[in-house]
Amino acid sequence: MFNLQGKVWGNTAEIFSRNNVEVHRIEVVPGGFCSKHRHNSKFNAFFVESGALEVTVWKGEYDLVDKTILGGGDYTIVPPGEFHQFRATNPTVAYEIYWVTLTKDIERDSVGGID
């Protein structure tokens, strides 16, 4: 089965981790919520299997707080660098999917050619 890790808000288990992608199954108790946090380079998607999850995102570029309520089959994506937090309104099972977009890793100071 899964290697469950207890959290104050419920349980989490990593079910897949390869290269730049991770998938975690979370079980959140009613009223349970995670810390307000951000990931510097990871996208964080939430997919709800059952229950209801409220995902709050503090938009860094604006004076705006975005709240999205997810039910079974719903999902949302939080981009890197945005503070966010989830909260369950009833017993919830969801999946957190993390990934890093690979960026251009070459910076040219000149171009090639033929002499």
Side-chain angles (χ1 to χ4, degrees):
M1 204 65 190
F2 299 117
N3 180 17
L4 286 178
Q5 294 180 347
K7 300 281 190 172
V8 295
W9 46 260
N11 292 300
T12 185
E14 182 181 278
I15 60 174
F16 180 84
S17 180
R18 295 287 184 277
N19 301 323
N20 64 330
V21 177
E22 293 177 35
V23 179
H24 296 245
R25 182 179 187 272
I26 61 175
E27 300 169 350
V28 190
V29 299
F33 60 94
C34 72
S35 65
K36 177 182 175 183
H37 66 281
R38 68 178 171 190
H39 305 278
N40 293 320
S41 58
K42 292 179 184 178
F43 285 84
N44 192 180
F46 297 91
F47 175 83
V48 174
E49 179 180 296
S50 62
L53 200 64
E54 177 183 88
V55 178
T56 303
V57 180
W58 287 264
K59 298 295 193 177
E61 299 173 6
Y62 312 100
D63 186 19
L64 175 69
V65 177
D66 179 40
K67 290 189 179 197
T68 303
I69 307 248
L70 305 172
D74 294 335
Y75 73 94
T76 192
I77 298 172
V78 179
E82 293 188 341
F83 279 98
H84 58 283
Q85 182 177 52
F86 65 74
R87 176 183 307 269
T89 56
N90 52 42
T92 300
V93 174
Y95 294 86
E96 281 192 277
I97 303 144
Y98 302 97
W99 70 94
V100 176
T101 300
L102 300 177
T103 60
K104 182 177 174 182
D105 71 342
I106 188 169
E107 182 178 334
R108 298 184 194 284
D109 191 39
S110 66
V111 295
I114 298 174
D115 287 331

